[in-house]
Amino acid sequence: MEKKNVWETYDAKALKKLEKLNEEYRSFLDNGKTERECVDNIVNIIEDAGYVELSALAKAGSALKPGDKVYSVCMNKSVIMFHVGDKPLCEGMNILGAHIDSPRLDIKQNPLYEDGGIAYLDTHYYGGVKKYQWVTIPLALHGVVVKKDGTTVEINVGENEDDPVFFVSDLLIHLAAEQLEKKAAKVIEGEALDIIVGNKPLVIEKKSGKKDKKDEAEKATAKDAVKAGILQILKETYDMEEDDFLSAELEVVPAGKAREAGFDRSMILAYGQDDRVCAFTSLKAMLDSPKTSRTQCCILVDKEEIGSVGATGMQSRFFENTVAELMNLTGDYSELNLRRCLSRSCMLSSDVSSAYDPGYAASFDRKNVAYMGNGMVLLKFTGARGKSGSNDANAEYIAHIRDIFDKEKVLFQTAELGKVDLGGGGTIAYMLALYGMNVIDCGVAVLNMHAPWEATSKADVYETYRGYRAFMEHADSDKVF
């Protein structure tokens, strides 16, 4: 089937909408480089749009009615939104689900040390990364430090122009003959990804007990002087002791803002587009869709990059529990109605796909690969090799989605993640499919996926938003079978 470049289909009005959406998208990326920051940003956006926290309504015993907008947050790392429709919830929802975590370096619990007159923070990489890509680039530090008394200190260093940045060093080319003989997976080892945070030793006043000015001017160097200097800065800036690293969540990410890329400014180059590009387009579609007969839901979760585990990942009961609370406030709750709601829902698992890269053509099946600029991507299945670990969408459901997109003139393409015995990947789709609902993966093609800087086409971002909105307004489980 012919692949169509969607840029050729836009008139001036559509291009204006495309640029506006992508400007908002870049701002969304800049304001949410961690899952916590992303949730904070999302809550601010949706509260301005009239969404109310579900837990507050539950505590007050308030009833919900069609048209109401509510949300729930889990541990400041995941968020779910609902726009209540006209039909009872037991008839199902239309769901968009994306993840807001991205590959990065995490600071360990006992991280600060000094070696060779340089202070380091020890890290453990998070998610699938090519470790050699993270050396010698400017890095920023984001996260929170929670003290024993419950006080939370937010840290964000490296993003403003006058901020310092951090980095991981690499061996100079003149001494790298042996290093260059190693396989790519071993060129930089995981334990070598420690970030450099200082080089200036702390100098302290000598306490001689004399009042002579010459004696007062005498100084001495502290033990582990560079580390001591960093601890002094942390104390003065954040009132933080070294032990406070034990209850900190600090993430190392590439420093810098999302940028337009190419002479024609047709692309976005930024950190964290897997999967915040689908989170943004899902969120935007949710906000822009009017009330419909079916309740609309948007799930934005944590931990997908490491298997969707933990309380804030999709494998937790957070989603199921929240739907139960929602049904209770609409007066529809029973265990049977909850099961009916979940099984009769329709979902787009909003996640990215690999974009065809001509420089590495041998890794792709060109007939079944996503091309940048060819619209949103449908993936019937993901998984690896023999579809292991995959949700494999039903043909009837795909036909329903195709019908929606064609009627709304949404331009889309279908793809797989690389060649059969070479590629593979996972999403949250199979976890929602456990409820018996119809699910298919659907998102944006990404170049440089999982690298510190990833690339997307502005046209694909816009077309994906249009597709998600069309789905929210028109999907219906009654039309699938």
Side-chain angles (χ1 to χ4, degrees), residues 317-436:
R317 292 292 181 91
F318 169 51
F319 169 64
E320 185 179 328
N321 294 344
T322 305
V323 174
E325 292 282 1
L326 180 77
M327 297 186 76
N328 190 52
L329 295 185
T330 60
D332 295 331
Y333 178 74
S334 71
E335 183 65 17
L336 180 58
N337 277 345
L338 175 61
R339 298 300 151 198
R340 286 172 173 169
C341 172
L342 295 173
S343 66
R344 290 180 59 81
S345 292
C346 295
M347 182 186 180
L348 295 184
S349 176
S350 311
D351 210 338
V352 298
S353 178
S354 57
Y356 176 70
D357 188 336
Y360 303 93
S363 297
F364 303 94
D365 171 6
R366 294 190 63 167
K367 302 184 302 299
N368 292 283
V369 66
Y371 290 83
M372 291 183 72
N374 282 18
M376 71 184 306
V377 186
L378 283 176
L379 294 96
K380 187 178 189 298
F381 53 85
T382 53
R385 293 171 295 281
K387 299 185 180 181
S388 175
S390 169
N391 168 69
D392 198 342
N394 289 326
E396 292 88 347
Y397 185 50
I398 298 173
H400 179 47
I401 300 300
R402 287 178 58 205
D403 184 52
I404 293 170
F405 290 168
D406 286 347
K407 286 179 178 177
E408 295 298 317
K409 295 181 171 57
V410 175
L411 299 175
F412 69 96
Q413 55 186 319
T414 61
E416 298 177 13
L417 285 175
K419 286 188 173 180
V420 173
D421 286 329
L422 183 65
T427 68
I428 65 173
Y430 75 93
M431 298 164 208
L432 277 299
L434 291 172
Y435 294 113

Side-chain angles (χ1 to χ4, degrees), residues 165-370:
V165 294
F166 312 99
F167 64 99
V168 178
S169 64
D170 192 13
L171 188 62
L172 67 161
I173 187 65
H174 308 75
L175 302 178
E178 291 184 0
Q179 181 194 41
L180 294 175
E181 294 297 320
K182 297 180 180 179
K183 292 183 177 181
K186 298 290 185 180
V187 169
I188 301 294
E189 301 280 359
E191 287 292 353
L193 289 174
D194 295 350
I195 63 168
I196 292 176
V197 296
N199 176 234
K200 182 179 179 180
L202 175 67
V203 179
I204 57 177
E205 299 285 343
K206 275 188 176 180
K207 295 181 180 179
S208 63
K210 298 180 181 179
K211 294 183 180 180
D212 185 272
K213 290 184 178 180
K214 290 183 178 180
D215 289 331
E216 290 177 358
E218 289 183 358
K219 298 180 179 181
T221 302
K223 183 181 179 182
D224 288 332
V226 180
K227 174 183 175 180
I230 300 303
L231 287 172
Q232 184 182 68
I233 292 169
L234 294 176
K235 179 66 175 177
E236 292 173 352
T237 308
Y238 305 108
D239 192 26
M240 176 183 172
E241 307 289 347
E242 185 172 8
D243 286 351
D244 290 328
F245 279 113
L246 294 174
S247 51
E249 289 183 355
L250 298 172
E251 302 176 12
V252 180
V253 300
K257 293 185 176 183
R259 302 287 297 273
E260 294 176 302
F263 281 119
D264 55 6
R265 299 177 181 267
S266 61
M267 296 168 286
I268 302 294
L269 188 69
Y271 165 71
Q273 297 198 73
D274 176 10
D275 186 34
R276 293 181 189 124
V277 64
C278 294
F280 170 77
T281 45
S282 297
L283 170 66
K284 188 68 175 169
M286 181 81 172
L287 294 176
D288 291 350
S289 296
K291 177 177 70 68
T292 56
S293 60
R294 285 163 66 88
T295 292
Q296 300 167 8
C297 172
C298 180
I299 310 169
L300 303 175
V301 291
D302 181 30
K303 298 292 189 289
E304 192 274 347
E305 296 295 358
I306 58 171
S308 296
V309 294
T312 56
M314 196 67 242
Q315 292 199 58
S316 79
R317 292 292 181 91
F318 169 51
F319 169 64
E320 185 179 328
N321 294 344
T322 305
V323 174
E325 292 282 1
L326 180 77
M327 297 186 76
N328 190 52
L329 295 185
T330 60
D332 295 331
Y333 178 74
S334 71
E335 183 65 17
L336 180 58
N337 277 345
L338 175 61
R339 298 300 151 198
R340 286 172 173 169
C341 172
L342 295 173
S343 66
R344 290 180 59 81
S345 292
C346 295
M347 182 186 180
L348 295 184
S349 176
S350 311
D351 210 338
V352 298
S353 178
S354 57
Y356 176 70
D357 188 336
Y360 303 93
S363 297
F364 303 94
D365 171 6
R366 294 190 63 167
K367 302 184 302 299
N368 292 283
V369 66

